[in-house]
Amino acid sequence: MIDTPTSPSPGYGIENLPLGRCARNGYVIRYQDLALPSEGLGMSLDSTAAITVNQLRELRSRAREAIESDSPYAGPTVAVSELELLTPVPVRAFIDFYSGIHHASNVGRMFRPDMPPLLPNYRHLPVAYNGRASSVVPSGVAIRRPYGITRATPEADPEFGPTRELDFELELGVYFGSDTAMGQVVPIDAIESHLLGVVLVNDWSARDVQRFEYQPLGPFLAKSFATSVSPWLVAMDALEPYRAEGPAQTPPVLPHLQPGRAGHYDIRLGVELWTPEAGWHTLSETNARELYWSFAQQLAHQSSNGTPLEAGDLYATGTISGPERGQFGSLLELTWRGSQPIELANGATRTFLADGDRLRLTGMAGTSVNLGAVEAEILPAG
């Protein structure tokens, strides 16, 4: 049996029961063959298959019964420190939305100061792009500074080299937990029955690379080098008590995006930066309620053209920012495109991430549901 994550930290108890996937001595422990006999959790090895919604609910139900029984498990345990934590579900596809309206507005103000902050389509559909599943990595995996093509000024010649503007993005991700057929459309009222659970996501960005390459299509090398996710999958059932209303949507959304009930969640989110000069520093604190588009709206729109969805698809929200500077979910916003450096201890400052820095994202719903953390160190370009 595996000890609860980062015990004795709060928020991993019976109300949460998050699921993790791990390896020990090179073997992967899989969900599908986890059993809960009288002597406790049994484990079988070597699988990369995704878990389904029904399997997750069954496993959490049996785990709760075992914990609440009069004969609690007393067999050998394995400390988390002895395991290699993996992504909680093998990622089949990765899609990143742009559902944080404060982030989208801030970006518009920075890069299109003579135009309305939001582009005309923003309030009508959840904007997204298809990323790379192959570069989604678990918390703790170091991120190497990527290369790309940049241009120092609009008049300068393009050059190829390491990014000078490495950034984080504070996001949530939701895993899809079943397969749909080609041409099948899942209506918004049915989408939530397919959602497996939530993780924290850091979708790393090379801002200078992105600035030069994103026109006319969108992110490419600036985003595809790495995306980090937290190791603990928090089931949608565990988040149900924290369901909340999101921002008012005006104008009214199209029928296929109209939800039958509140689809947002009251999840407090935080960002902490560690630097060799100054130690740990809190950069931002915000809440998932600030998202404009909910999980259900995002996936209903994804499904609306009949594309097949698969168990293990990971959908990220896009950067989650609040309305104030201390609630922004990226350094691009926190430093306002590098023009307002962040002051740290001992006289240190940052505009974007430096080699040797470490970044940690955290999340908590109430006092009983901890999303854990996603953390990584920045390595120099190779």
Side-chain angles (χ1 to χ4, degrees):
M1 183 175 178
I2 302 168
D3 285 342
T4 53
T6 61
S7 179
S9 299
Y12 295 108
I14 198 167
E15 298 88 353
N16 189 354
L17 293 179
L19 213 63
R21 194 170 62 104
C22 58
R24 192 181 189 202
N25 299 326
Y27 292 95
V28 177
I29 300 168
R30 74 178 187 174
Y31 305 120
Q32 285 81 349
D33 294 334
L34 280 172
L36 286 165
S38 58
E39 65 270 15
L41 275 174
M43 297 183 294
S44 115
L45 305 173
D46 196 21
S47 172
T48 57
I51 189 172
T52 67
V53 173
N54 288 337
Q55 286 172 328
L56 176 59
R57 285 178 172 161
E58 173 69 13
L59 183 58
R60 292 182 74 250
S61 174
R62 296 175 70 186
R64 182 186 291 267
E65 291 173 2
I67 292 170
E68 292 178 331
S69 70
D70 294 332
S71 55
Y73 179 70
T77 63
V78 179
V80 170
S81 59
E82 298 180 21
L83 302 169
E84 177 190 357
L85 296 180
L86 310 174
T87 58
V89 177
V91 180
R92 299 289 295 274
F94 173 62
I95 296 88
D96 192 30
F97 281 88
Y98 196 46
S99 294
I101 192 168
H102 297 297
H103 173 72
S105 297
N106 287 335
V107 170
R109 292 186 185 100
M110 279 185 271
F111 291 95
R112 300 183 302 274
D114 299 328
M115 299 173 60
L118 296 175
L119 292 172
N121 66 348
Y122 189 86
R123 293 181 181 268
H124 295 279
L125 60 89
V127 177
Y129 72 92
N130 288 294
R132 287 191 62 79
S134 61
S135 55
V136 177
V137 296
S139 175
V141 173
I143 305 302
R144 189 167 297 280
R145 183 175 299 274
Y147 285 78
I149 298 177
T150 63
R151 190 163 61 178
T153 68
E155 297 77 24
D157 292 333
E159 58 179 318
F160 180 76
T163 178
R164 299 180 182 91
E165 299 181 7
L166 183 59
D167 199 358
F168 71 90
E169 289 190 342
L170 171 62
E171 307 189 20
L172 289 177
V174 64
Y175 277 97
F176 204 69
S178 58
D179 297 332
T180 67
M182 185 83 168
Q184 177 185 356
V185 175
V186 183
I188 191 166
D189 290 342
I191 278 287
E192 290 192 0
S193 65
H194 297 267
L195 301 186
L196 190 62
V198 171
V199 291
L200 294 163
V201 173
N202 185 348
D203 193 31
W204 303 92
S205 298
R207 298 298 184 188
D208 46 357
V209 177
Q210 183 178 4
R211 197 160 51 242
F212 185 62
E213 74 175 6
Y214 84 102
Q215 301 181 52
L217 290 180
F220 190 51
L221 296 187
K223 293 282 194 174
S224 61
F225 63 95
T227 300
S228 299
V229 300
S230 54
W232 303 110
L233 179 72
V234 175
M236 304 307 299
D237 290 346
L239 291 172
E240 187 61 29
Y242 306 99
R243 187 181 288 271
E245 295 284 350
Q249 294 185 318
T250 55
V253 298
L254 294 169
H256 76 289
L257 296 174
Q258 292 178 0
R261 58 175 178 163
H264 288 67
Y265 294 90
D266 182 3
I267 302 173
R268 303 186 307 281
L269 303 168
V271 183
E272 299 169 287
L273 172 68
W274 183 91
T275 68
E277 313 98 301
W280 285 106
H281 177 89
T282 298
L283 290 178
S284 177
E285 294 178 333
T286 188
N287 195 292
R289 291 177 303 182
E290 299 290 352
L291 288 166
Y292 191 77
W293 298 102
S294 69
F295 292 135
Q297 289 176 313
Q298 292 167 19
L299 271 79
H301 189 63
Q302 167 77 359
S303 173
S304 64
N305 71 346
T307 184
L309 310 181
E310 296 181 307
D313 287 356
L314 176 61
Y315 294 86
T317 59
T319 306
I320 304 173
S321 294
E324 305 296 332
R325 185 183 182 192
Q327 302 170 333
F328 294 166
S330 68
L331 284 171
L332 178 70
E333 299 165 88
L334 288 165
T335 68
W336 208 252
R337 204 178 173 183
S339 65
Q340 302 173 22
I342 295 172
E343 296 183 2
L344 308 174
N346 302 323
T349 63
R350 285 291 185 277
T351 51
F352 293 97
L353 295 169
D355 296 344
D357 288 353
R358 289 163 56 193
L359 200 86
R360 179 166 61 207
L361 311 183
T362 59
M364 176 74 80
T367 59
S368 60
V369 177
N370 197 329
L371 274 68
V374 57
E375 184 173 339
E377 178 184 357
I378 305 303
L379 301 180

